[in-house]
Amino acid sequence: MSTIATTDGVRMRTKDGTQIYFKDWGSGQPVVFSHGWPLSADAWDDQMIFLASHGYRCIAHDRRGHGRSSQPWNGNDMDTYADDLAELVDALDLREAIHVGHSTGGGEVTRYIGRHGSSRVAKAVLVGAITPLMLKTPANPGGLPMEVFDGIRAGVQGDRSQFFKDLSGPFYGANRPGATVSQGLRDSFWLQGMQAGIRAVYECIKVFSETDLTEDLTKIDVPTLIMHGDDDQIVPIADSALLAVKLVRKATLKVYPGAPHGMPSTLKDRINADLLAFIQS
């Protein structure tokens, strides 16, 4: 699969013709980042510049429909997200890669390994990940009710711009007493969200809420670090990380007291140091 150099970065064309934008910084063992909803590769800038400066090749892509990637009508599902990631890995011939996924990106990494295996993967990191399943079902009684996700859909359809401005509060914990989250960080969330196509934004709500990744987690056979804040208001820890760590054979759980969903930004120094330590371990 070929890559395409453009005036604003590098793109890969997938088998169905979708152009996937990606950043490729530094050299060394590859670290591949998958972002959360409704963001883009830019959400990983703090981690990428840190790890690239410490001798690693850092790659982050904009998921189809998000950021600077093209906005196809179809393919907004977890299998296709995982297949796009596999095509990117193959196009760049990445081996012994460390895959890091946040939120929906954690689901993407999990499905990628579950669907494509770990022959090119050295380690995995799931940060505030949606795994194993966010939706409340008879088999998953601790999940969130459908009404929560219907409310997100209504917000996206009704006034997406204002909805993203409001959502940035709980995303970064700015709604907690004593919070010091900057307006600039919240504005960045809004900007990245508004870059995404509304079709992808809307359909991805079903993807991150209803995709059951239980079986995929059991297929992960590489050392895995699960990082989660215990004040995550978007993906509550009790029905995500605390369950996922029991399903992954070689998993270690690191809980961050009081940390929000967007802790790669609000706690970037701690997250960066812990990522580096895990990669070097």
Side-chain angles (χ1 to χ4, degrees), residues 4-11 19 21-23 62 67-69:
I4 307 163
T6 66
T7 56
D8 64 339
V10 185
R11 286 177 170 79
Q19 287 192 21
Y21 171 94
F22 64 94
K23 306 179 185 187
D62 291 350
R68 291 139 294 197
S69 291

Side-chain angles (χ1 to χ4, degrees), residues 232-274:
D232 190 322
Q233 300 171 66
I234 307 300
V235 182
I237 189 173
D239 201 54
S240 54
L242 298 188
L243 299 180
V245 71
K246 299 175 183 178
L247 296 168
V248 180
R249 278 171 275 174
K250 301 177 182 179
T252 300
L253 173 63
K254 187 171 182 62
V255 177
Y256 295 79
H261 191 58
M263 64 182 186
S265 296
T266 62
L267 297 177
K268 62 182 180 181
D269 292 339
R270 285 175 59 189
I271 298 299
N272 289 351
D274 291 343

Side-chain angles (χ1 to χ4, degrees), residues 71-87:
Q71 300 181 8
W73 184 254
N74 297 316
N76 300 299
D77 59 83
M78 193 63 83
D79 284 352
T80 305
Y81 296 164
D83 292 349
D84 288 347
L85 177 56
E87 288 195 53

Side-chain angles (χ1 to χ4, degrees), residues 184-199:
L185 180 58
R186 298 185 64 175
D187 290 346
S188 177
F189 179 95
W190 172 85
L191 176 61
Q192 291 178 60
M194 293 305 293
Q195 284 181 313
I198 192 167
R199 166 80 169 179

Side-chain angles (χ1 to χ4, degrees), residues 221-234:
D221 57 359
V222 296
T224 302
L225 177 62
I226 298 175
M227 311 166 83
H228 218 103
D230 69 4
D231 192 31
D232 190 322
Q233 300 171 66
I234 307 300

Side-chain angles (χ1 to χ4, degrees), residues 37 43 52 116 152 199 241:
W37 177 93
H116 296 276
I152 297 173
R199 166 80 169 179

